[in-house]
Structures are given as structure tokens and as C-alpha cells.
Amino acid sequence: MTALGAGRARPRDLGVRVAENVLFTVGLPVLAVGLWAVWSTRSTNRFLVGPRALLDAFRQTWIGPAFVDDVLPSLYRLLIGLFASILLGVAAGVVIGRLRPLRELLEPLLEFFRAIPPPVLIPVAMLLLGITDTMKVVVITSGAIWPILLNTIDGVRATDSVMMETARSFRISRWDRLWLLILPAASPRVMTGVRQALSVALILMVISEMFASSAGLGYRIAYFQRNYLIAEMWSGILLLGLIGVVLAVVFGVVERRVLRWYHGMKEVSRG
């Protein structure tokens, strides 16, 4: 009877937990939108747009040709720059992290370039590469690479030395040590760097299109601002937020699959 009662209680407890999670997830945004709607109806500020006007502007502006002409090219440049940052950051991070003399030689140089804000490189990139998609991708890559590179270096340096010596004693090749030991050990920090690079890449995508471009999401937002199309400007900002949410969700799914072993170890250690 006790086991039967417990079996019946489990679906109910699960439903309560799901309802609580949904409430906590949706409750605050719904409350914020409600307060926003009340505030916008009572405010006389013409730069404050209500939710209904914003949704109308969003539908009229972005659902149609503007999505193909402006949003998709921006997303393409964002993804290319992000993938280039991951490949270059991980490859360089592994080499620098494994070679101590090289790391000590490059450390001052890395600190110097890391301290330079990527947006200030846009005029330089324009002079060297022209106003092209390549310039925008280079700007995105130049800023997004640093979290990945530095976290990869730290992750490679933190690889267990006992395990490395054990692998050498068993005459495991360097290539196998890289794929089976070093990269898995560094992967939690690498994924942390990629998560940080997502927001940096999104910001640089917008800034690179605001400086010199005739199309793209950043260009459209700046165009709406200069022409006092306030609802359309806010709709572009809303679209940027939605893109960030989608990127975070997709990254969360990929991260859980890549680091499944890591989260499993954490659960075992907690138990």
C-alpha cells in the first residue's frame, strides 16, 4: 500500500514541480510586460512605446523581406565569426597551453591585445579590408576569440599531471593524448569561453553594421533611430534579444551533450 501510494504521488509531485518551474520562468516576464503596458498608457513620453505598438511594428518590419535582406545576412556573419573564433581560439589555446616557453613569451602580447576594445579596430579593419562582409566577420572574430582562447589555455594548463604522466608511461601517442585526455579535461572551460563569446559576437555584429553598412540588423536599428521611427527601433532591439535567447538555448543543448560526462561526474560527487 505504501509503495502504491508513493507511485501515485510521484506524478502529482512531478506536475507540481513542472507548474512551479513554468510559473517562475513565465511569471516575471508577464509581470514586467503588464507593468510596461500600464506605464506606457500613462506616460506622455513619445519615445516610450507600448507592447501592442511594439508588436505591430515588429510584425510589419521584420516579418517579410527585411528578414531575408537584413536579418539572415547578419546571422550568417555572426555564425561565421563565431565558428572562426572557436576554431582559432581552441587551436591556439591548446598550443599555447601545452608549450610553457611559448606561453611565457606571448603572455605580455596577449594581455596587450586583450585590453584593446574590439570596436576601436573597426576603422582599422575598414582601411585594410574595405567595407565588406569579410571586414565584419574579422571584427566579430577579433573580439569573440579572447574568452575562448584564454579559457582554453587555462583548461589545458589545468590538465591532471598524474594522468598525463600515466598516459606517457603507457606510450599513448600525443595525438591520442590530445583527443582523449587534454581536450576532454579542458572542455568545461572551453564551453565557458564559448558562452561568453556568444554575447560578445552578437554585440560586435551589431556595432560593425552600424559603422559602415547599407544592410543588416545593426544598420536598420541605427536607421530607425536617425529617422525617429521609435517603434521600429525598439522592434529591432526586441529581435536582438530574441536572437540572444535562441542562441543561449541552442548552446545549452549543445553544452549538455558535449559535457554529459562532466555533469554526470558532478551528480555522482554530490550523491
Side-chain angles (χ1 to χ4, degrees):
M1 292 296 291
T2 303
L4 182 60
R8 290 177 178 176
R10 286 175 183 171
R12 183 180 303 174
D13 294 340
L14 180 61
V16 171
R17 289 197 298 269
V18 171
E20 290 178 349
N21 291 334
V22 171
L23 180 62
F24 280 114
T25 302
V26 181
L28 183 58
V30 170
L31 178 62
V33 171
L35 294 174
W36 173 25
V38 173
W39 186 18
S40 63
T41 56
R42 297 185 177 183
S43 176
T44 58
N45 189 344
R46 65 184 300 266
F47 299 109
L48 180 63
V49 180
R52 179 175 297 181
L54 178 59
L55 291 178
D56 290 340
F58 186 93
R59 184 179 66 254
Q60 296 172 8
T61 303
W62 303 111
I63 299 178
F67 185 82
V68 177
D69 297 335
D70 294 312
V71 180
L72 289 184
S74 296
L75 293 178
Y76 173 77
R77 291 188 287 266
L78 171 67
L79 295 178
I80 293 297
L82 189 60
F83 287 144
S85 302
I86 295 173
L87 292 176
L88 295 175
V90 172
V94 169
V95 174
I96 297 173
R98 290 294 299 149
L99 301 177
R100 183 174 179 179
L102 180 62
R103 185 170 64 248
E104 293 177 350
L105 176 66
L106 294 179
E107 185 174 2
L109 193 62
L110 293 177
E111 293 295 333
F112 173 80
F113 282 109
R114 185 180 66 166
I116 299 176
V120 304
L121 298 177
I122 294 178
V124 179
M126 290 172 55
L127 291 174
L128 296 177
L129 302 173
I131 304 175
T132 61
D133 287 348
T134 302
M135 181 272 293
K136 299 179 180 68
V137 172
V138 168
V139 170
I140 295 171
T141 304
S142 66
I145 193 174
W146 294 107
I148 303 171
L149 174 63
L150 298 177
N151 277 277
T152 302
I153 293 174
D154 290 340
V156 170
R157 291 181 59 188
T159 304
D160 193 336
S161 59
V162 175
M163 297 182 66
M164 289 294 297
E165 292 299 329
T166 304
R168 291 192 187 96
S169 65
F170 279 98
R171 298 183 181 277
I172 297 176
S173 65
R174 292 185 177 182
W175 185 255
D176 288 338
R177 289 202 303 268
L178 174 65
W179 283 103
L180 301 177
L181 178 58
I182 297 173
L183 286 179
S187 57
R189 299 196 184 188
V190 173
M191 298 305 287
T192 300
V194 175
R195 179 180 292 277
Q196 296 170 354
L198 284 175
S199 59
V200 175
L202 187 60
I203 293 171
L204 291 175
M205 178 201 76
V206 176
I207 295 177
S208 66
E209 293 173 349
M210 285 181 171
F211 268 82
S213 183
S214 59
L217 186 52
Y219 164 77
R220 285 298 170 188
I221 293 175
Y223 173 82
F224 294 145
Q225 181 266 333
R226 289 193 297 266
N227 290 275
Y228 292 95
L229 300 173
I230 306 303
E232 288 78 4
M233 179 192 71
W234 283 110
S235 71
I237 296 173
L238 174 62
L239 180 58
L240 279 175
L242 294 176
I243 292 173
V245 170
V246 172
L247 288 176
V249 171
V250 172
F251 176 78
V253 174
V254 174
E255 183 184 33
R256 284 193 294 271
R257 293 184 64 88
V258 172
L259 299 181
R260 184 183 302 172
W261 63 272
Y262 177 72
H263 295 301
M265 290 177 58
K266 290 175 65 176
E267 291 295 331
V268 171
S269 62
R270 289 174 185 173

